[in-house]
Amino acid sequence: MIKKLGYVLLAGMAFTACKDSSKFVINGTIKNGAAQSKVYLFGLDKANPVALDSTVLSDKGAFKFNHASPEVNFYKITAGNNEYMIIAKNGDDIKLDADLGDKTMHYSISGAEEADKLEGLNAIKNKYMSRIAAVQKKFDDMVSKEPAKREAIMESLRPEYMKEVEELNQEILKFAQANTSSLAGFYAINLLSPPSEYEKELVAFADQIKGNFKNTPAVQDFLSRMAKLKSVQVGQPAPAFTMNSIDGKKISLADFKGKYVLLDFWASWCRPCRLENPNVVKAYNTYKDKNFTILGISLDKDPVAWKQAVAADHLTWNHGSELQDFEGPTVRNYQIEAIPSSFLVDPKGNIIAKNLRGKELEDFLNKTLR
């Protein structure tokens, strides 16, 4: 009996020792793909795909990739118009199953720790994407019956749609926070949408994973961006800047020290910005005599369109622009990724609120400017 047990243990050790730790292997099967059609393996360098290898599907839809990756990293497999995210490192033996006929691009993966975690995340995504798709179908069916009521139907279904989106975001966030030592957790945190509504959570996550994945470009790029984003959170000093005003003179944040100033990032071409402008005008007219002002910072590239919008919307406060869209140095320094965006700065130059709109802006100013 002892001899038999020893033989089993030795056999197991021999099997483990034979595992090739100099590369990872992906064995996949894709349904509804034509035989000999191409399948590609991409690496991701700061989210930009880099072609690494290609093969063709067998008559049974099978394919295989071998690739070396001493550090755990992101990879992407593409077939037809579908893409499948993979997380792998040397020694992993991953199994992927997909169906090109599945419009949701659902796929299953297994065979390694990160792959199993990613499969868990995919299960969360698929659950809620199915619910969101059901709301979309309901909308399409209702509109097909009453096309003239499209806008009203959209508004009636918006709460149901947003509820599913918010629940999906919360489940993704919970997964990310529970997997800070895994690239699957990092992948999850980057799925939050829109990211501008989860800045605190993104910054906190970056603080938690500092020191991890030092050789993963996507993570290091994220940490760099979050460090900049952290510098423009509530409680931080507003970054200094100087730019040209609407009349061609220099205008600086320092010019407003001693006042409450709303830095309003917008553009003439931004419809949500233009729709919000009446609320900003109301706030300015109500509180301009209570040590409050506004500095509009336009992302326009066309100075004529900028000036016409200022006049048309009756924006009678100070304005400046670098006329460089999202690439202006101040816009980049304030980490603006969507507009409208705003920062309320107190008389000492510290950020005390962000992205206040409509009644939120009115209530905050009413409470603050007594």
Side-chain angles (χ1 to χ4, degrees):
M1 182 70 178
I2 294 175
K3 288 182 179 180
K4 286 184 178 181
L5 179 59
Y7 175 78
V8 170
L9 289 173
L10 286 170
M13 290 174 64
F15 177 79
T16 302
C18 288
K19 187 175 182 180
D20 190 347
S21 60
S22 66
K23 62 185 178 182
F24 66 81
V25 180
I26 301 173
N27 284 287
T29 303
I30 296 181
K31 296 180 181 177
N32 293 310
Q36 302 302 305
S37 60
K38 283 277 192 177
V39 183
Y40 298 89
L41 175 67
F42 287 89
L44 296 178
D45 181 11
K46 294 185 180 179
N48 297 313
V50 178
L52 300 175
D53 200 357
S54 67
T55 187
V56 295
L57 291 178
S58 72
D59 293 343
K60 295 182 179 180
F63 69 91
K64 183 176 182 178
F65 285 118
N66 297 283
H67 188 75
S69 180
E71 301 285 343
V72 61
N73 214 331
F74 291 103
Y75 297 89
K76 183 168 64 176
I77 289 175
T78 68
N81 294 321
N82 290 12
E83 299 180 345
Y84 309 106
M85 182 67 72
I86 299 290
I87 300 173
K89 66 179 186 307
N90 287 348
D92 288 349
D93 191 352
I94 298 171
K95 173 68 175 171
L96 180 148
D97 291 297
D99 185 347
L100 291 186
D102 188 338
K103 294 181 180 179
T104 67
M105 290 195 285
H106 170 72
Y107 66 107
S108 62
I109 51 173
S110 60
E113 182 180 0
E114 288 282 6
D116 293 341
K117 286 184 181 295
L118 194 54
E119 175 72 1
L121 175 61
N122 286 341
I124 294 171
K125 289 167 53 186
N126 292 330
K127 172 184 174 182
Y128 284 97
M129 292 309 293
S130 295
R131 294 182 180 182
I132 291 169
V135 178
Q136 179 65 48
K137 185 177 185 306
K138 185 189 296 187
F139 170 76
D140 292 339
D141 291 344
M142 292 173 70
V143 170
S144 67
K145 293 177 182 177
E146 298 182 283
K149 295 184 178 180
R150 181 185 181 86
E151 293 299 322
I153 293 170
M154 183 182 296
E155 287 305 310
S156 70
L157 292 178
R158 189 184 300 277
E160 185 178 352
Y161 176 85
M162 294 308 300
K163 175 178 177 293
E164 299 298 346
V165 170
E166 176 60 19
E167 288 185 7
L168 171 59
N169 278 326
Q170 290 304 317
E171 287 297 316
I172 287 174
L173 181 59
K174 186 188 301 182
F175 178 94
Q177 291 171 338
N179 291 279
T180 54
S181 60
S182 162
L183 272 187
F186 171 73
Y187 177 55
I189 203 74
N190 283 276
L191 295 176
L192 292 173
S193 180
S196 59
E197 294 186 7
Y198 294 92
E199 288 184 353
K200 291 181 181 178
E201 291 82 359
L202 289 165
V203 169
F205 187 85
D207 287 340
Q208 287 180 288
I209 66 169
K210 278 180 181 175
N212 297 346
F213 316 113
K214 291 182 178 179
N215 296 315
T216 306
V219 174
Q220 298 309 308
D221 181 62
F222 172 80
L223 292 176
S224 176
R225 288 188 291 110
M226 289 306 106
K228 293 177 182 177
L229 184 60
K230 189 174 184 178
S231 71
V232 289
Q233 294 300 296
V234 171
Q236 298 296 316
F241 61 83
T242 299
M243 62 180 63
N244 288 330
S245 69
I246 199 166
D247 56 6
K249 299 177 182 178
K250 294 296 181 183
I251 192 167
S252 302
L253 178 60
D255 298 337
F256 301 91
K257 193 163 186 180
K259 284 181 172 286
Y260 288 93
V261 56
L262 182 71
L263 304 179
D264 182 29
F265 291 83
W266 72 295
S268 66
W269 46 259
C270 168
R271 179 169 172 74
C273 302
R274 304 294 294 273
L275 291 174
E276 179 62 20
N277 275 345
N279 295 323
V280 185
V281 170
K282 181 182 177 183
Y284 178 72
N285 289 333
T286 302
Y287 297 101
K288 63 182 180 180
D289 296 325
K290 295 187 177 181
N291 203 35
F292 170 76
T293 191
I294 298 173
L295 173 57
I297 302 175
S298 171
L299 276 67
D300 279 285
K301 297 178 80 172
D302 179 354
V304 175
W306 170 35
K307 293 175 182 179
Q308 287 176 343
V310 168
D313 292 0
H314 308 290
L315 313 182
T316 57
W317 46 83
N318 288 286
H319 292 273
S321 179
E322 292 157 334
L323 299 176
Q324 295 182 49
D325 198 68
F326 284 90
E327 300 306 313
T330 301
V331 173
R332 291 174 67 89
N333 208 21
Y334 274 79
Q335 295 294 290
I336 304 299
E337 295 186 356
I339 50 175
S341 288
S342 64
F343 297 78
L344 184 60
V345 180
D346 71 8
K348 295 180 180 179
N350 297 318
I351 299 168
I352 58 172
K354 293 178 65 173
N355 297 325
L356 297 174
R357 299 191 185 103
K359 193 172 186 305
E360 283 184 331
L361 175 60
E362 182 180 349
D363 290 345
F364 192 91
L365 292 175
N366 185 53
K367 177 182 67 176
T368 305
L369 305 179
R370 295 187 180 278

